């Protein structure tokens, strides 16, 4: 298979990498060291591989890397890190919404997309927004609480409270 | 690991059509990849050449044109939800988009891919059937519009020739009196494949008689189907509870469901009758 040089802007850094056509965006991200993007099922079912692709949350396992040539990609790690966590990441930790943590990066990506569009979601809207993200551990209750907490804190920060 | 394939990246529609014509056997277009990538990984589909249509400008956008709503084939299901024209002119399609997969898949899944894939459970199919939609098939030689009802042949079989792309979908803007609904029964509230689905659009005149009725069903036959007998029964009559019950029964009669992991054939037949009755009763109000 012929390779092609693909340009990816990931978490603000630009990568140029030669890839054969059958590489998914998920594999590519992990090979580049963005291992916060998880491989759960590789068939669109679990959402552990979710990233923002040009601002929209998608399953990176269903995107061919060539199709993402030139795109802006943000992973959970691009939102914040241990030293400077994002409000959503902090809320997940504070609410106890993380057990094994495998679903967490994808959950946080879906949460970011939700709160950008809808800063005050109802419980129903939260559940719908994370319906493509499976969690085997928490039973979702604390994840929904974490998302509400994140929404409150983001609103408070905006109002300068 | 995905199997090996060649991936062609056309920049224009005419380039894409040329590639489809030139390609050897085993060529397939790829849009969102939400069916194709999964099918290739599972070995159910082994194309040797893929033509990426996802970025083609000519296949994008939703617009009003000559009394029709025209939807570019690579319009995503998420874009159907965001476009006010769909919510206003075709709430039945909007409702189907609302319960389609999940927000992650909706950002990639295209309407053209959903129809071209021709799963009996394709969720945009019943609403588009009741809207009297047509699909545009385009090859190097030119374009043809085909009624969606004729486009579907059987399980994952359509009228599309290998050198053709599905380029657009259109339907007449329904008159203001038309009302409709879509109901999908899945095994959970979100991110479920249809066990059975029903879409309905009816136009009721001032005098209470039904001018036009369209009913379509998903996941209850080898392809998404219309319930012609039920439609005929309703047209020209007043939608009384008795008439609606009779029509709903005819809907079930029109099905030929299968037993699978999601439900039995008998359950599907039963539930389609219930869903059709409910939707038609709502439209009486
Ligand atoms: C987790 C998950 C949940 C899902 N839930 C649902 C659901 O609730 N309801 C539902 O209906 N579907 C569902 N699907 C299936 C799938 O998402 C849809 O069928 C989707 O609309 C396919 O579009 P696509 O652009 O991804 O198609 P692709 O995978 O790119 O292509 C699908 C097929 O269509 C062909 N094709 C694509 N575009 C064109 C074109 N323009 N012209 C000609 N041929 C073309 C391809 O060659 C291929 O055979 C789900 C899938 C996943 C992974
Ligand atoms: S790894 Fe992509 S959805 Fe599961
Ligand atoms: S915390 Fe373990 S899968 Fe969600």
């Amino acid at each position: 298979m012929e390779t092609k040089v693909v340009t990816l802007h990931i978490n603000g850094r630009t990568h140029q990498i030669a890839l054969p056509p059958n590489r998914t965006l998920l594999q590519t991200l992990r090979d580049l060291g963005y291992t916060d993007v998880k491989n759960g099922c590789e068939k669109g079912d679990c959402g552990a591989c979710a990233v923002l692709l040009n601002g929209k949350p998608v399953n990176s396992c269903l995107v061919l890397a060539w199709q993402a040539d030139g795109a802006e990609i943000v992973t959970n790690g691009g939102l914040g890190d241990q030293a400077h966590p994002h409000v959503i990441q902090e809320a997940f930790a504070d609410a106890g919404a993380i057990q094994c943590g495998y679903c967490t990066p994808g959950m946080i990506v879906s949460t970011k997309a939700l709160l950008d569009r809808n800063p005050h979601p109802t419980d129903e809207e939260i559940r719908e927004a994370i319906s493509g993200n499976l969690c085997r551990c928490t039973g979702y209750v604390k994840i929904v609480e974490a998302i509400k907490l994140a929404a409150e804190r983001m609103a408070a920060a905006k109002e300068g409270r | 690991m995905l199997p090996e394939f060649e991936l062609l990246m056309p920049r224009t529609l005419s380039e894409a059509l040329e590639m489809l014509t030139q390609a050897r056997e085993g060529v397939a277009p790829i849009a969102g990849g939400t069916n194709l990538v999964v099918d290739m990984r599972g070995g159910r589909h082994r194309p040797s050449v893929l033509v990426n249509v996802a970025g083609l400008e000519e296949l994008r956008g939703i617009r009003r044109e000559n009394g029709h709503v025209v939807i570019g084939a690579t319009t995503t299901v998420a874009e159907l939800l965001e476009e006010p024209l769909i919510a206003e002119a075709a709430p039945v399609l909007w409702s189907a988009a609302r319960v389609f997969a999940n927000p992650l898949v909706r950002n990639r899944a295209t309407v053209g891919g959903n129809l071209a894939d021709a799963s009996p459970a394709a969720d945009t199919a019943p609403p588009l059937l009741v809207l009297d939609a047509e699909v545009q098939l385009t090859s190097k030689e030119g374009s043809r519009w085909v009624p969606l009802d004729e486009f579907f042949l059987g399980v994952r079989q359509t009228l599309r020739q290998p050198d053709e792309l599905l380029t657009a979908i259109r339907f007449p803007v329904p008159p203001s009196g038309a009302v409709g609904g879509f109901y999908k029964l899945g095994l959970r509230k979100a991110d479920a494949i249809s066990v059975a689905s029903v879409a309905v659009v009816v136009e009721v005149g001032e005098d209470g008689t039904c001018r036009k009725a369209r009913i379509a069903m998903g996941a209850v036959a080898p392809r998404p189907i219309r319930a012609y007998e039920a439609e005929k029964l309703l047209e020209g009559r007043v939608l009384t509870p008795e008439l609606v019950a009779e029509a709903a029964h005819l809907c079930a009669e029109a099905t030929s469901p299968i037993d699978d992991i999601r439900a039995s054939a008998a359950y599907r037949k039963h539930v389609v009758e219930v869903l059709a009755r409910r939707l038609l009763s709502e439209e009486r109000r």
Side-chain angles (χ1 to χ4, degrees), chain B residues 228-284:
Chain B
Y228 300 108
E229 297 298 320
E231 294 172 359
K232 250 187 276 168
L233 178 73
L234 296 173
E235 286 177 359
R237 303 176 70 176
V238 176
L239 303 186
T240 61
E242 295 71 30
L243 188 69
V244 161
E246 204 182 325
H249 186 69
L250 288 177
C251 288
E253 293 287 290
T255 66
S256 48
I258 56 163
D259 293 310
D260 71 6
I261 46 165
R262 280 180 282 278
S264 68
Y267 178 69
R268 286 192 157 99
K269 226 181 178 61
H270 174 72
V271 94
V272 130
E273 182 167 342
V274 175
L275 298 181
R277 192 172 58 230
R278 271 190 209 158
L279 281 167
L280 288 167
S281 308
E282 279 166 23
E283 303 325 337
R284 291 176 45 238

Side-chain angles (χ1 to χ4, degrees), chain A residues 26 38-50 59-62:
Chain A
L26 168 62
K38 300 299 177 198
N39 178 351
C41 68
E42 290 194 292
K43 53 197 183 94
D45 285 329
C46 76
C49 67
N59 300 302
S60 61
C61 69
L62 299 181

Side-chain angles (χ1 to χ4, degrees), chain A residues 99-101 103 135-138:
Chain A
Q99 286 186 30
C100 81
C103 69
C135 176
R136 294 292 289 173
C137 304
T138 65

